[in-house]
Structures are given as structure tokens and as C-alpha cells.
Amino acid sequence: HATPQPRPRRAANPASLGAMITDDVVWQVINYNHCAFKAKTLTQTMCRNQYNITGLCNKSSCPLANSQYATILEEEGNLFLCMKTAERAHSPKNLWERIKLPKSYMAALELVDKNLEFWPKFIVHKCKQRLTKITQYIIRMRRIRLKAQPKLERIHSKREKRDARREVKAERAANLDKSIEKELLERLRAGTYGDIYNFPSKEYAKVLDSEEQEEEEDEEEEEEEE
């Protein structure tokens, strides 16, 4: 019997091996040392990087520790599929490829499936999940805009306080003028200033008439009580 010949093994792609090694090194540095995007909470560690597909800090979700990565971004109501591959790692300017997704949800899903056909299932699933969530909150935003919203007006607290202080000052000044006028007319009626003829006769007569009217009203009230 002839001995079976071993199957020839496919040579590994040196570029992919180098990318995997680089990814592992980057993740070790990020995970065990400092990362500017890391945000630790009481329950778990979050990631503030805008390209993070889940918002969690782990190896599979980290956009820095994966040479092949994809996510969905939203800018002013428009959705974009952002993809990163190891072949563009030498050019940071062109590292992310942006593909604008259509407004239709089903058409956007088909485009995501087409561009991520041979990508890892985790990336594809999370991209679809992120696309669904963003589409839902864009629809809610449009509905809120169509509803009648109460118009908010600014309250000028400093101006209101200033006006209130001015009103109090004006009221005090008016009361002071009235009290001075009343005191002068009382003195004129009592003859305190003697023979003075240049006083305001109209105001004096007006005060006398008002006092006479008050006296008549008091007399009428007393008669009714009797």
C-alpha cells in the first residue's frame, strides 16, 4: 500500500500575521496601561472612542486594537459605514473608508451585508444592531420636531431685579413728594407763613375741597348710624 501524502498547507499571509501580532501588542498596552479613551465605572469599563461599536472596553470592540474593524456613525441625520483594514494602516489619513448609507433601512442593511460579506460575524452583527438603534432614534427625533414644542424664553433676572429696585425707589420718592405737599398745604391753611400770595392756589383749593368732601361723608355716616 502506498503511504498517503500529507496535504500541502496554505502559506499564511504575512500581512495578516503581522496585523494580528500588532493588535495583540496594542491591546496589551491599552488594557494593562493607560488609554485616553478608557472610562472606568463601578460595574464595567467603558470606551469614549467615537468609532467603538459597542461602547465597551474589550479586545473585540476596541477600534485601536483591531486592524480590521467597521462601525456605523451618524452625522446630522446621515448614516455612514466606516471600515478600517490593515492594508491602509500605513496611511492614517485614509485609514477609515466612509460609505454613505441610504435613508431606507432595508437598503442600508443590504449595503452593510454587501460590504461586510467576508468580515467576522461579530462585527457584522454589531454593525446591524447599531444601524437599527441609530435609525430608531433618528425617527424619534423627527417625530419630536413635528410636535408642537413650548417656546422657552430667557428670564433676565438681573434686569428684573434692577427694575424692581427702581420701582421701589420711585414709589418712595412719590410718597415723599405727597407727604411734603400735604404738609405744606396744611401749613398754608393754618397760616404758618403769614401773608404769602405766591403759593399754588389750585392745589390748595383742591385739598380743601377733598377735606370738605371727607367731612360730609363722615357726617352722613354718623346720621345713618343714629
Side-chain angles (χ1 to χ4, degrees):
H1 298 283
T3 57
Q5 297 292 329
R7 293 182 180 180
R9 294 183 178 180
R10 181 181 296 179
N13 188 1
S16 61
L17 288 176
M20 291 175 61
I21 295 172
T22 305
D23 293 346
D24 293 337
V25 173
V26 171
W27 176 244
Q28 287 179 4
V29 173
I30 290 174
N31 192 27
Y32 298 106
N33 294 292
H34 175 71
C35 177
F37 300 105
K38 187 182 293 186
K40 291 185 178 181
T41 63
L42 296 176
T43 56
Q44 56 189 352
T45 305
M46 310 298 292
C47 180
R48 288 190 290 257
N49 194 306
Q50 64 172 342
Y51 291 102
N52 194 301
I53 199 170
T54 60
L56 301 175
C57 181
N58 51 47
K59 175 67 171 64
S60 56
S61 301
C62 183
L64 304 178
N66 289 281
S67 300
Q68 189 179 21
Y69 199 81
T71 186
I72 304 291
L73 294 183
E74 182 265 333
E75 292 181 4
E76 298 180 356
N78 298 318
L79 297 178
F80 295 91
L81 173 63
C82 301
M83 298 181 295
K84 180 179 80 168
T85 58
E87 288 78 13
R88 291 192 297 271
H90 67 282
S91 177
K93 176 184 176 182
N94 304 316
L95 182 62
W96 290 93
E97 180 185 359
R98 293 163 63 93
I99 299 174
K100 187 175 181 180
L101 299 177
K103 296 290 185 181
S104 173
Y105 175 69
M106 299 305 298
L109 278 179
E110 291 178 1
L111 192 60
V112 170
D113 284 330
K114 181 180 178 182
N115 286 277
L116 304 180
E117 185 176 358
F118 303 105
W119 285 58
K121 292 183 179 180
F122 174 79
I123 297 291
V124 177
H125 173 66
K126 290 299 179 181
C127 281
K128 290 182 178 180
Q129 197 175 42
R130 188 175 175 88
L131 174 64
T132 305
K133 289 290 184 182
I134 295 176
T135 305
Q136 289 175 353
Y137 83 66
I138 287 176
I139 293 172
R140 287 198 299 269
M141 286 170 58
R142 291 172 183 169
R143 289 177 180 173
I144 291 173
R145 286 198 200 101
L146 293 175
K147 290 182 180 179
Q149 298 292 329
K151 185 178 180 181
L152 302 178
E153 294 184 359
R154 179 184 174 186
I155 298 176
H156 301 276
S157 58
K158 291 185 178 179
R159 185 184 299 175
E160 290 182 355
K161 291 179 181 178
R162 185 176 65 245
D163 294 341
R165 288 196 299 267
R166 289 178 178 175
E167 288 178 2
V168 172
K169 290 181 181 178
E171 188 177 356
R172 288 177 182 173
N175 293 333
L176 182 61
D177 292 340
K178 287 181 181 179
S179 62
I180 292 172
E181 182 182 358
K182 185 177 180 181
E183 181 67 25
L184 288 174
L185 293 173
E186 289 289 340
R187 291 185 181 186
L188 285 173
R189 193 176 74 168
T192 306
Y193 300 111
D195 298 333
I196 297 177
Y197 302 99
N198 60 348
F199 60 86
S201 58
K202 291 182 179 180
E203 286 77 0
Y204 182 63
K206 185 179 179 181
V207 172
L208 290 177
D209 294 339
S210 62
E211 289 183 355
E212 290 177 358
Q213 189 176 0
E214 290 177 359
E215 290 177 359
E216 291 178 358
E217 290 177 356
D218 293 338
E219 291 177 359
E220 291 178 356
E221 290 179 357
E222 290 177 359
E223 292 177 357
E224 289 178 358
E225 290 177 358
E226 292 176 357

